[in-house]
Amino acid sequence: MRKLKFKADTQKSPQALQNSRETQEYIARFLATKLGKHGFQTLPQSGGTVAVSVEEYELPLSVSCETQDEDGHCVCEISSYPEEEQDWLERITERSLLNQLAQAVEASLKEQDAFSTFEWNNEL
């Protein structure tokens, strides 16, 4: 599992976001439209979840946003949960794809001023 923690300034977002659920859904829709230019295909999901595929692999993403921090920003996390029951070659391939996906997610989010303070956590 990899988590990208970042701040979402709801005042700077293109649409007024009133709560963490709206923020989650906005980020999921945003990523679903942006990841295509990095070679990933997004699959429709509900709420703050984006399923991403490349070649024959599906990589589920989950977006969760907490309530506001002390600066008034929503603190959001993007998590990915690759399958753990794989042979070593599949695991290496999926980890490589996950690293590419992580770079694509961060690059996409950095396109908007509303998102800042990016920090990756690896929990493998």
Side-chain angles (χ1 to χ4, degrees):
M1 172 176 62
R2 295 192 69 188
K3 289 187 177 184
L4 173 61
K5 193 171 194 176
F6 60 98
K7 289 187 179 180
D9 185 349
T10 57
Q11 302 302 315
K12 290 183 178 179
S13 64
Q15 68 185 78
L17 301 173
Q18 302 300 317
N19 58 48
S20 60
R21 181 183 168 126
E22 287 179 4
T23 303
Q24 281 180 274
E25 291 175 357
Y26 171 78
I27 292 169
R29 284 191 311 271
F30 177 79
L31 288 174
T33 60
K34 293 292 185 176
L35 291 176
K37 76 177 192 179
H38 295 280
F40 294 96
Q41 177 184 5
T42 57
L43 305 171
Q45 301 289 306
S46 62
T49 305
V50 179
V52 179
S53 66
V54 60
E55 299 171 8
E56 70 273 9
Y57 295 94
E58 281 189 26
L59 303 172
L61 287 178
S62 174
V63 179
S64 62
C65 296
E66 300 173 8
T67 56
Q68 295 183 346
D69 69 0
E70 64 277 356
D71 297 325
H73 300 123
C74 283
V75 177
C76 302
E77 290 184 345
I78 296 175
S79 303
S80 179
Y81 302 90
E83 288 184 30
E84 294 300 323
E85 303 297 322
Q86 299 170 319
D87 68 30
W88 65 272
L89 183 57
E90 286 180 337
R91 185 173 284 205
I92 290 170
T93 301
E94 189 159 308
R95 292 251 171 110
S96 175
L97 290 172
L98 187 56
N99 287 336
Q100 292 172 33
L101 177 60
Q103 292 173 357
V105 166
E106 186 173 353
S108 296
L109 291 171
K110 284 182 175 179
E111 291 178 9
Q112 281 200 4
D113 293 337
F115 306 128
S116 64
T117 318
F118 297 89
E119 176 185 327
W120 280 103
N121 296 322
N122 293 317
E123 299 174 15
L124 302 173

